[in-house]
Amino acid sequence: NAGVTQTPKFQVLKTGQSMTLQCAQDMNHEYMSWYRQDPGMGLRLIHYSVGAGITDQGEVPNGYNVSRSTTEDFPLRLLSAAPSQTSVYFCASSGSDDWETQYFGPGTRLLVL
Amino acid sequence: DAKTTQPPSMDCAEGRAANLPCNHSTISGNEYVYWYRQIHSQGPQYIIHGLKNNETNEMASLIITEDRKSSTLILPHATLRDTAVYYCIVLSGTYKYIFGTGTRLKVLA
């Protein structure tokens, strides 16, 4: 199993550009989520999904969109990037029989100029 | 979900037990206590969780006080690889984890 994979590893954007951060898991997990981590801070939940077709907002959802058309993939879209979205983004997943144990991806470092 | 308070940093000698405290004085009856850690800039790693009984697994032990207002994560024989930020999280049946800033544990050789 590859676990949770994220692409790209690093991205530089200009203000106003759009992009999609990719997240995939091969563990057939129902639960998936996106977090951002700013320097010196803990992780903050952006959006999460409890299954295909179901998503909900976390602590800091503004400026981000998500969709969950398949169990495996949970992309995060930035429609119009802002410097305040410069951060490290982590995707995580967990299964319904062990939902407390989240498995995290390696992260995507995003710099918005 | 209840809020947690952790010391910002701690040191521990290699081979000794590392005891990381967490205060969650507003915890309610159905809320679990979870511990994760983040080594360097990697994604966080699950360690252990519990409701009211003490728990132990291959990584650590979790001691929850009888009134459940605080808990302690114990790494019995800390190694240099245990140097990380440790997060205590309180959660009840939802997926809305709030990580906070955690405790930065440095294991000293």
Side-chain angles (χ1 to χ4, degrees):
Chain A
N1 283 356
V4 180
T5 58
Q6 293 184 238
T7 56
K9 285 193 170 72
F10 182 70
Q11 182 72 45
V12 179
L13 288 179
K14 292 181 180 175
T15 296
Q17 285 185 315
S18 63
M19 82 159 294
T20 299
L21 307 185
Q22 301 292 345
C23 174
Q25 50 89 12
D26 61 358
M27 298 174 281
N28 202 32
H29 283 170
E30 290 85 349
Y31 301 102
M32 296 186 75
S33 56
W34 275 103
Y35 295 85
R36 62 175 287 174
Q37 185 172 33
D38 300 329
M41 305 286 287
L43 282 74
R44 291 185 292 171
L45 182 64
I46 304 172
H47 285 286
Y48 66 98
S49 168
V50 299
I54 306 169
T55 64
D56 204 349
Q57 296 181 347
E59 194 182 352
V60 288
N62 292 341
Y64 307 95
N65 278 355
V66 291
S67 60
R68 184 101 181 268
S69 54
T70 67
T71 300
E72 295 79 19
D73 301 298
F74 191 42
L76 178 73
R77 278 182 285 279
L78 284 73
L79 297 177
S80 179
S84 60
Q85 293 178 304
T86 293
S87 191
V88 180
Y89 291 83
F90 290 101
C91 178
S93 74
S94 59
S96 60
D97 56 349
D98 186 21
W99 68 271
E100 306 93 346
T101 307
Q102 293 193 88
Y103 296 86
F104 282 81
T108 293
R109 292 183 179 275
L110 178 67
L111 175 62
V112 182
L113 301 174
Chain B
D1 295 311
K3 214 175 159 183
T4 62
T5 305
Q6 298 177 254
S9 64
M10 293 180 64
D11 290 342
C12 175
E14 190 178 20
R16 305 296 294 266
N19 298 288
L20 293 96
C22 179
N23 182 287
H24 31 79
S25 57
T26 60
I27 194 169
S28 60
N30 61 345
E31 289 182 315
Y32 283 73
V33 180
Y34 296 81
W35 284 84
Y36 278 75
R37 73 179 182 183
Q38 187 174 24
I39 296 173
H40 195 44
S41 53
Q42 299 173 19
Q45 175 190 26
Y46 166 83
I47 302 173
I48 198 167
H49 74 279
L51 182 62
K52 53 184 176 181
N53 297 321
N54 297 339
E55 302 286 345
T56 296
N57 63 20
E58 64 278 3
M59 287 182 69
S61 294
L62 174 61
I63 309 297
I64 303 174
T65 58
E66 196 166 336
D67 63 7
R68 303 209 322 121
K69 293 187 177 184
S70 65
S71 61
T72 301
L73 178 75
I74 301 172
L75 308 178
H77 306 287
T79 70
L80 297 177
R81 288 182 295 180
D82 292 321
T83 292
V85 178
Y86 288 77
Y87 297 100
C88 169
I89 302 156
V90 170
L91 197 62
S92 68
T94 73
Y95 207 60
K96 291 190 175 182
Y97 285 77
I98 297 178
F99 273 75
T101 53
T103 295
R104 187 173 296 275
L105 175 69
K106 185 186 282 188
V107 180
L108 306 172

